[in-house]
Amino acid sequence: MPTNRIEAFSDGVIAIIITIMVLELKVPHEPSLRGVLEQTPMYVSYGVSFLIIAIMWVNHHQMMHAAKHSDARLLWGNNNLLFWMSLVPFTTAFVGEHHTAALPAALYGGVFAMCAIGFLLLRSVLIRQHAHDPERVRYHRRIWRKNAVSFAFYASAVPLAFVSPWISYAIYLGIAASYFLPERVATGEKLAH
Amino acid sequence: MPTNRIEAFSDGVIAIIITIMVLELKVPHEPSLRGVLEQTPMYVSYGVSFLIIAIMWVNHHQMMHAAKHSDARLLWGNNNLLFWMSLVPFTTAFVGEHHTAALPAALYGGVFAMCAIGFLLLRSVLIRQHAHDPERVRYHRRIWRKNAVSFAFYASAVPLAFVSPWISYAIYLGIAASYFLPERVATGEKLAH
Amino acid sequence: MPTNRIEAFSDGVIAIIITIMVLELKVPHEPSLRGVLEQTPMYVSYGVSFLIIAIMWVNHHQMMHAAKHSDARLLWGNNNLLFWMSLVPFTTAFVGEHHTAALPAALYGGVFAMCAIGFLLLRSVLIRQHAHDPERVRYHRRIWRKNAVSFAFYASAVPLAFVSPWISYAIYLGIAASYFLPERVATGEKLAH
Amino acid sequence: MPTNRIEAFSDGVIAIIITIMVLELKVPHEPSLRGVLEQTPMYVSYGVSFLIIAIMWVNHHQMMHAAKHSDARLLWGNNNLLFWMSLVPFTTAFVGEHHTAALPAALYGGVFAMCAIGFLLLRSVLIRQHAHDPERVRYHRRIWRKNAVSFAFYASAVPLAFVSPWISYAIYLGIAASYFLPERVATGEKLAH
């Protein structure tokens, strides 16, 4: 199976994930400002999840574009990543309904931590594919380390949610914001970490 | 990332947005003419939103087709636009359930105003990309001004909804209808404004 | 806009229409044979709608493939067709919940009649595009007449539903079945009418 | 219609099937560990269905890639397969809500058995297409027999669910796991059976 079919399928799945989340936005019970403001946590969790999935989509493309060829590891590493991403609409709705509780905030980060592991595994497949090209291996390793940092932050947000969910929310927003910070390296690479 | 992947992803997201709105059409409580007629606002809001998203899809393609290359500004300008478009099924359902209230009518226009801003930002990216080609800059600026007029109408419909939601609805229909009016310029361009 | 983008967008919309209908299949209240059999009308309406949309998808491709170029008529004729097709999950759920009532059976056929008009309009665009090629015009006219017959059947099923919905259901099944009947002309064309 | 359009449409439908299942994951009633653990059957059935559909997607591509050309048999054989696959979100939700009952477990396997028949029928179309190439016919026949074994297991799980649904669940997991077992033949083929 050529990598462009994996990309097309992944594009389809990610497009659906990012869009069906809107079905979890329930119409307010009353058409008043109070009715809408009551749902603020739902809107915020929707916006943050939209942003994080959009970042993942960009990273996914950069990664797939770098793949030399498709093999069983790449294919199933990708299916594994899509599985964890597919759970985001569920955890987003859970956080939106119970934003002051610890467990939803922890699960929200737990699923993103699993997505980060999915990215790490796929990046390892790429390092393996380019084993004979030291420069590319260095490049992939650098991004692998960045992903590992993201994973560490997401994973730490899971137990911290039981101290306070707001700590976890701050971590999630911080990780998302870090993708838009200027870097010393070229703009092109900013999108690839 | 080549622009055609951004187009394909956007196509997917817009196709899902325009189609999942039908899931907000609830089956009438009784299979009678009265049961169906009671839902008229829901059907009308569905039809209008379908039309406006179809127009946006056409405009989006014209715009992406004119992009010289993909960069971070184009990519995230596009993700921003898709975010606001993704909220249309939600505001459509809100209007469909409470069509005589001011707030849903205002929010409906507010989301379209944000979409119009999304188009303005993306058009500015194109003007920047073609900075060395005065003719194309003029072309993009002309469309930019048309989009700005659409934005002004959508934005004015937000406070006017609190005078009467019917004024806002008239504005939304008027903007949609204006896309199909004959123009002095060629038919091809009619689809591009 | 090239015709292949219209095709890709239409493919996406039709794929979503045909698939999200499954979300209208509610889980039976009890996990017993009785609980499942009670829902028979829901399953049957799902199956019939799946079949009819699949036929429309095949016809749509044959048609778009024959288009010479894309213009505003083709684009908006296509958007019109997709709009009516997008209502099928709604009418399917309505029939599935109230299969012995006249109105859902009538609406179900009414939406298909509008789809048939959508096909007739698009076919007229093709006749117009090939106006200088008498052979192709004859070909398109022959299919136009077949579509007109389908329309006539769907339209007649609307008032007949008020005599008995079962007459309408027989008509819908008959139209679907007619697509699989052997014809004197080649197999390839069988899929094109 | 070229086979790549059938592939693209199938990709779209399968991407939607695999993703909309998440909409059946209901938010727990309370944000506690107990609330989440109560839903374990729902999560497990989601994971298993995701895995099985991912395997089907891979197999589907291998199969379509081997098709010589598109004809009415291939097209409608494929639509038949997609129909049965489209029912998986429904049977998954049914099992997730009543995992100790026999009927949902039986229906779950019954739909997969129909999918397996869909694969057998499509493979027969390929054998027919390559009738003049004995080597390819042998290849397709070998995979046909593997699919027939999968069908036999799925079909046997239907009556066995009435002995105990856990026997059926073990069979479903066993079939899925078998796709990842090392084989004597090359890795490439492992994905093709």
Side-chain angles (χ1 to χ4, degrees):
Chain A
M1 190 183 309
T3 58
N4 71 319
R5 288 228 73 93
I6 301 183
E7 273 189 282
F9 183 72
S10 306
D11 267 6
V13 169
I14 298 173
I16 299 157
I17 291 170
I18 211 169
T19 318
I20 60 172
M21 280 196 301
V22 78
L23 293 173
E24 310 279 9
L25 295 186
K26 306 285 177 255
V27 166
H29 293 296
E30 44 169 301
S32 66
L33 197 60
R34 206 176 51 133
V36 170
L37 289 182
E38 268 174 13
Q39 297 191 316
T40 307
M42 202 178 68
Y43 304 133
V44 173
S45 67
Y46 177 75
V48 173
S49 293
F50 194 101
L51 175 61
I52 294 179
I53 293 180
I55 292 171
M56 285 188 189
W57 171 66
V58 175
N59 290 355
H60 186 269
H61 264 302
Q62 304 279 123
M63 194 167 56
M64 278 297 161
H65 200 69
K68 260 177 100 167
H69 58 267
S70 164
D71 53 24
R73 281 173 209 277
L74 191 79
L75 187 56
W76 286 100
N78 191 56
N79 285 343
N80 172 62
L81 175 61
L82 293 178
F83 173 73
W84 294 106
M85 288 180 75
S86 80
L87 293 174
V88 173
F90 168 71
T91 54
T92 303
F94 199 19
V95 161
E97 283 190 25
H98 304 283
H99 70 287
T100 56
L103 196 70
L107 266 183
Y108 190 71
V111 164
F112 283 134
M114 295 308 292
C115 293
I117 290 182
F119 273 106
L120 288 172
L121 291 174
L122 272 173
R123 189 63 64 179
S124 301
V125 173
L126 293 190
I127 292 174
R128 201 189 173 101
Q129 283 190 353
H130 295 108
H132 300 295
D133 182 342
E135 202 184 337
R136 276 170 177 269
V137 166
R138 259 196 307 280
Y139 168 78
H140 287 310
R141 286 230 173 100
R142 201 169 62 236
I143 297 174
W144 192 95
R145 281 191 295 270
K146 286 185 187 177
N147 283 336
V149 172
S150 292
F151 166 73
F153 275 107
Y154 280 129
S156 69
V158 174
L160 287 170
F162 295 92
V163 181
S164 163
W166 300 101
I167 301 176
S168 308
Y169 298 147
I171 292 173
Y172 306 145
L173 276 175
I175 299 173
S178 75
Y179 284 91
F180 296 95
L181 290 179
E183 296 190 40
R184 255 168 304 175
V185 287
T187 320
E189 205 205 296
K190 192 173 61 176
L191 297 166
H193 66 160
Chain B
M1 189 183 307
T3 58
N4 71 319
R5 290 228 70 94
I6 301 183
E7 273 190 282
F9 183 72
S10 307
D11 267 8
V13 170
I14 299 173
I16 299 158
I17 291 170
I18 211 169
T19 317
I20 59 173
M21 281 196 301
V22 78
L23 293 173
E24 309 279 10
L25 295 186
K26 306 286 176 253
V27 166
H29 293 295
E30 44 169 301
S32 66
L33 197 60
R34 209 177 49 134
V36 171
L37 289 182
E38 269 175 11
Q39 297 191 316
T40 307
M42 203 178 67
Y43 305 133
V44 173
S45 67
Y46 177 75
V48 173
S49 293
F50 193 100
L51 176 60
I52 294 180
I53 292 180
I55 291 170
M56 284 187 190
W57 171 66
V58 174
N59 291 355
H60 185 270
H61 265 300
Q62 303 281 122
M63 195 167 56
M64 279 296 161
H65 200 70
K68 260 177 101 166
H69 58 267
S70 165
D71 54 24
R73 282 171 209 278
L74 191 79
L75 187 56
W76 286 101
N78 191 55
N79 285 343
N80 171 61
L81 175 61
L82 293 179
F83 173 74
W84 294 107
M85 288 180 75
S86 80
L87 294 174
V88 173
F90 169 70
T91 53
T92 303
F94 199 18
V95 161
E97 283 189 25
H98 304 282
H99 70 287
T100 55
L103 195 70
L107 266 183
Y108 189 71
V111 164
F112 284 134
M114 294 308 291
C115 293
I117 290 182
F119 273 106
L120 288 172
L121 290 175
L122 272 174
R123 190 62 65 179
S124 301
V125 173
L126 294 190
I127 292 173
R128 198 187 175 103
Q129 283 190 353
H130 295 107
H132 300 295
D133 182 342
E135 203 184 335
R136 275 169 177 270
V137 167
R138 259 198 306 279
Y139 167 78
H140 288 310
R141 286 232 173 98
R142 200 168 63 236
I143 297 173
W144 193 95
R145 282 191 294 272
K146 285 185 187 177
N147 285 335
V149 171
S150 292
F151 166 73
F153 274 108
Y154 280 129
S156 70
V158 174
L160 287 169
F162 295 91
V163 181
S164 163
W166 300 101
I167 302 176
S168 307
Y169 298 147
I171 292 172
Y172 306 145
L173 276 176
I175 298 173
S178 76
Y179 284 91
F180 296 95
L181 290 179
E183 296 190 39
R184 255 168 305 176
V185 285
T187 320
E189 206 206 294
K190 192 172 62 175
L191 298 167
H193 66 160
Chain C
M1 191 182 306
T3 58
N4 70 320
R5 288 229 72 93
I6 302 183
E7 273 189 281
F9 183 72
S10 307
D11 267 7
V13 170
I14 299 173
I16 300 157
I17 292 170
I18 211 169
T19 317
I20 59 172
M21 281 196 302
V22 78
L23 293 173
E24 310 279 10
L25 295 187
K26 306 286 177 253
V27 166
H29 293 295
E30 44 169 302
S32 66
L33 197 61
R34 208 176 50 134
V36 171
L37 289 181
E38 269 174 14
Q39 296 190 318
T40 307
M42 203 178 68
Y43 304 132
V44 173
S45 67
Y46 177 75
V48 173
S49 293
F50 193 100
L51 175 62
I52 294 180
I53 292 180
I55 292 170
M56 284 187 190
W57 171 66
V58 174
N59 290 355
H60 185 269
H61 264 300
Q62 304 280 123
M63 196 167 55
M64 279 296 162
H65 200 70
K68 261 178 98 165
H69 57 267
S70 165
D71 54 23
R73 281 171 209 277
L74 191 79
L75 187 57
W76 287 100
N78 191 54
N79 285 343
N80 171 62
L81 175 60
L82 293 179
F83 173 74
W84 294 106
M85 288 181 75
S86 79
L87 294 174
V88 173
F90 169 70
T91 53
T92 302
F94 199 18
V95 160
E97 283 189 24
H98 304 283
H99 70 286
T100 55
L103 196 70
L107 267 183
Y108 189 72
V111 165
F112 284 134
M114 295 308 291
C115 293
I117 290 181
F119 274 105
L120 288 171
L121 290 175
L122 272 174
R123 190 62 65 177
S124 301
V125 173
L126 294 190
I127 292 174
R128 199 188 175 104
Q129 283 191 352
H130 295 108
H132 300 295
D133 182 342
E135 203 183 336
R136 275 170 177 269
V137 166
R138 258 196 307 279
Y139 168 77
H140 288 310
R141 287 233 172 98
R142 201 170 61 235
I143 296 172
W144 193 96
R145 280 190 296 270
K146 286 183 187 179
N147 283 336
V149 171
S150 292
F151 166 74
F153 274 107
Y154 280 129
S156 70
V158 174
L160 287 170
F162 295 92
V163 181
S164 162
W166 300 101
I167 302 176
S168 307
Y169 298 148
I171 292 172
Y172 305 145
L173 276 176
I175 298 172
S178 76
Y179 283 92
F180 296 95
L181 289 180
E183 294 190 40
R184 255 169 305 175
V185 285
T187 321
E189 205 205 295
K190 191 173 61 175
L191 298 167
H193 67 158
Chain D
M1 191 182 307
T3 58
N4 70 319
R5 289 229 72 93
I6 302 184
E7 273 190 281
F9 183 72
S10 306
D11 267 7
V13 169
I14 298 173
I16 299 157
I17 291 170
I18 210 169
T19 317
I20 59 172
M21 280 196 302
V22 78
L23 294 173
E24 309 280 10
L25 295 186
K26 305 287 177 251
V27 166
H29 293 297
E30 43 170 302
S32 65
L33 197 61
R34 208 176 51 134
V36 171
L37 289 182
E38 268 174 14
Q39 297 189 318
T40 307
M42 203 179 68
Y43 304 133
V44 173
S45 68
Y46 177 75
V48 173
S49 292
F50 193 100
L51 176 61
I52 295 180
I53 292 180
I55 292 170
M56 285 188 189
W57 171 67
V58 174
N59 291 356
H60 185 270
H61 264 301
Q62 304 279 123
M63 195 168 56
M64 279 298 162
H65 200 69
K68 263 177 95 166
H69 58 266
S70 165
D71 53 23
R73 281 173 210 276
L74 191 79
L75 187 56
W76 286 101
N78 190 55
N79 285 342
N80 172 62
L81 175 60
L82 293 178
F83 173 74
W84 294 106
M85 288 180 76
S86 80
L87 293 174
V88 173
F90 169 70
T91 53
T92 302
F94 200 17
V95 160
E97 283 190 24
H98 304 283
H99 70 287
T100 55
L103 196 69
L107 266 183
Y108 189 71
V111 164
F112 283 134
M114 294 308 292
C115 292
I117 290 181
F119 274 106
L120 288 172
L121 290 174
L122 273 173
R123 190 62 66 177
S124 301
V125 172
L126 294 190
I127 293 173
R128 200 188 174 103
Q129 282 190 355
H130 295 108
H132 300 295
D133 181 341
E135 203 183 336
R136 277 170 176 270
V137 166
R138 258 197 307 279
Y139 167 78
H140 288 310
R141 286 231 173 99
R142 201 169 62 235
I143 297 173
W144 194 96
R145 281 191 296 270
K146 286 184 186 177
N147 284 336
V149 171
S150 292
F151 166 73
F153 274 107
Y154 280 128
S156 69
V158 174
L160 287 170
F162 294 92
V163 180
S164 163
W166 300 102
I167 302 176
S168 307
Y169 298 147
I171 291 173
Y172 305 145
L173 276 176
I175 298 173
S178 76
Y179 284 90
F180 296 96
L181 290 179
E183 294 189 40
R184 255 168 305 175
V185 284
T187 320
E189 205 204 296
K190 193 173 62 175
L191 297 167
H193 67 159

